[in-house]
Amino acid sequence: MTTERATALTDLMDKEELRGLLVRGWRALDHKDYDTWIGCWTEDAELAFGPWEPLHGARTIKATVIEAEDSYAAMFHYLLNTHFEIDGDRATGVGYMLFVGVPDTAEADAHFDMGGSYTWEFVRADAGWRVARQHLTMSWTSGVDSLGSFS
């Protein structure tokens, strides 16, 4: 195998690991497994999200997200059209987000939705890839944020 092909194969493996990291983490978030979700982040991570001030550090990010999302009876975080660029032990990524939050499953048609775009920065740690920075731009909403989670 040529060096060029070996590098391309390594990049493909890294990109699949990054996709796996996000799917594992955001599915955990849907199940309110906040420990697994925050385990996908570095300790000194940063989260920037439209209606909130930038959040610094895994503990602060976790506490803020729990406060915003724990009241939902059901949540669905969709990550779409992801793309990653690898640069050694660092990587960047982009993708789209679709969030559906159902406050009360007895009234499942009364949900709050939002969509937007993600940009990520990742670092490779001893335990694998981790999110170092996430910026989420909310582009649209639908329904009423009856819980006031994202105001």
Side-chain angles (χ1 to χ4, degrees):
M1 180 180 302
T2 67
T3 302
E4 186 176 290
R5 288 184 63 82
T7 300
L9 180 59
T10 300
D11 281 355
L12 284 172
M13 291 169 54
D14 284 335
K15 289 174 183 181
E16 187 56 29
E17 286 178 27
L18 290 168
R19 253 187 279 296
L21 172 76
L22 294 174
V23 169
R24 180 177 70 250
W26 276 246
R27 285 194 72 213
L29 188 56
D30 288 341
H31 295 282
K32 300 183 182 185
D33 179 356
Y34 300 109
D35 291 333
T36 296
W37 175 72
I38 203 63
C40 296
W41 297 71
T42 62
E43 284 298 314
D44 62 346
E46 179 182 313
L47 169 64
F49 172 55
W52 301 338
E53 294 293 321
L55 305 172
H56 300 278
R59 288 184 182 162
T60 301
I61 293 169
K62 180 181 173 185
T64 303
V65 168
I66 288 172
E67 182 179 336
E69 298 189 0
D70 202 50
S71 295
Y72 281 101
M75 296 183 293
F76 305 91
H77 293 80
Y78 298 96
L79 303 172
L80 310 161
N81 297 345
T82 56
H83 177 77
F84 306 100
E85 295 290 332
I86 309 299
D87 185 13
D89 288 338
R90 296 188 131 344
T92 58
V94 296
Y96 295 121
M97 175 274 298
L98 170 61
F99 170 81
V100 178
V102 181
D104 182 352
T105 55
E107 297 178 25
D109 60 336
H111 47 84
F112 174 68
D113 310 329
M114 65 179 157
S117 58
Y118 282 116
T119 59
W120 292 285
E121 294 176 15
F122 303 94
V123 296
R124 190 187 325 256
D126 291 340
W129 289 103
R130 296 294 180 262
V131 177
R133 184 174 191 283
Q134 175 180 287
H135 183 263
L136 174 55
T137 301
M138 187 169 36
S139 300
W140 60 267
T141 62
S142 179
V144 176
D145 182 10
S146 61
L147 300 177
S149 297
F150 301 104
S151 304

